[in-house]
Amino acid sequence: MRYNLSEITDIIRDRRTIYPEQYSTRKIHKEQIELLLNNAIWAPTHGMTQPWRFIVFQENALLDLAENLGAAYLKHVPKEKQNDAKLAKLLTRPKLASAVIAIVLHREADTKISQQDDLAAVACAVQNMHLTATAQGIGAFWATPAVINFESFRTALNLTEEQTCVGLFYLGYPSIDWPKGQRRPIEYITTWKQ
């Protein structure tokens, strides 16, 4: 065996969503985020399109992110459909995180690779980030609020026509015990054919 399979299995099974409300004030170092991103770019990518782009928010930029999320929500969601709890999360969560990474899908105009393939590659990159965070004891949460698709938020991120924000990846050291999880056994979800 080339690697310690039990450690790899443990990291995969220990990965959990940990929300910003559950983060401590302990700061994550730039080098730790760089490791997350360096591991992200080793995800499988059909046709080597490497369709991921990352925008990292830390320190004062987290306040700007919160402001842009809130402003986009208030601008694009009709007043009668606005929800105070959703708005509060958009405004508060970035301020509770040590860092937030905007996950961006970048599509080349002349690519022959499908959008589905590129999106799957970005999702694999996020999984690599999440596993790396888990190994470092860092909590992570991949959020996909509708506001990331609003034009004013796209403008705030300086996205091009070829780019789409597919989520915000919140990072912080947990202030709680690491959560336990469970999954249904594979017997319930797998069909074997021979």
Side-chain angles (χ1 to χ4, degrees), residues 1 3 12 35 44 60 63 82 87-88 101 117 134 139 142 189:
M1 207 166 286
Y3 300 98
I12 291 169
L35 179 59
N60 291 332
L63 304 176
Q82 290 177 7
L87 178 60
I101 303 172
D117 283 336
T134 299
W142 184 6
I189 58 167

Side-chain angles (χ1 to χ4, degrees), residues 80-92:
E80 65 276 6
K81 292 187 177 180
Q82 290 177 7
N83 178 298
D84 290 343
K86 281 185 184 179
L87 178 60
K89 281 184 181 179
L90 292 171
L91 292 170
T92 305

Side-chain angles (χ1 to χ4, degrees), residues 54-176:
F54 308 103
I55 304 168
V56 181
F57 297 87
Q58 289 184 282
E59 306 294 336
N60 291 332
L62 292 167
L63 304 176
D64 295 338
L65 175 62
E67 186 178 307
N68 287 326
L69 287 166
Y73 182 83
L74 292 171
K75 178 177 182 178
H76 296 283
V77 175
K79 183 81 171 156
E80 65 276 6
K81 292 187 177 180
Q82 290 177 7
N83 178 298
D84 290 343
K86 281 185 184 179
L87 178 60
K89 281 184 181 179
L90 292 171
L91 292 170
T92 305
R93 282 183 162 172
K95 298 171 191 173
L96 298 173
S98 182
V100 178
I101 303 172
I103 309 296
V104 177
L105 169 64
H106 178 86
R107 301 264 303 147
E108 296 294 338
D110 59 351
T111 185
K112 294 183 173 121
I113 305 302
S114 73
Q115 182 169 351
Q116 182 177 351
D117 283 336
D118 277 347
L119 185 57
V122 172
C124 288
V126 173
Q127 176 72 347
N128 284 1
M129 293 166 61
H130 217 144
L131 294 175
T132 304
T134 299
Q136 296 181 87
I138 296 170
F141 168 50
W142 184 6
T144 56
V147 69
I148 63 176
N149 298 306
F150 296 161
E151 192 56 41
S152 62
F153 187 69
R154 288 178 47 80
T155 300
L157 292 182
N158 294 316
L159 299 184
T160 67
E161 286 185 24
E162 296 82 22
Q163 296 177 330
T164 305
C165 182
V166 294
L168 300 172
F169 196 67
Y170 291 82
L171 295 165
Y173 280 102
S175 62
I176 59 168

Side-chain angles (χ1 to χ4, degrees), residues 26-72:
R26 182 178 170 194
K27 296 297 181 196
I28 298 170
H29 297 288
K30 181 180 180 183
E31 296 78 20
Q32 293 171 291
I33 297 169
E34 288 174 339
L35 179 59
L36 291 174
L37 298 175
N38 277 308
N39 285 349
I41 65 174
W42 285 96
T45 168
H46 190 189
M48 283 300 288
T49 57
Q50 300 181 61
W52 39 71
R53 300 293 183 273
F54 308 103
I55 304 168
V56 181
F57 297 87
Q58 289 184 282
E59 306 294 336
N60 291 332
L62 292 167
L63 304 176
D64 295 338
L65 175 62
E67 186 178 307
N68 287 326
L69 287 166

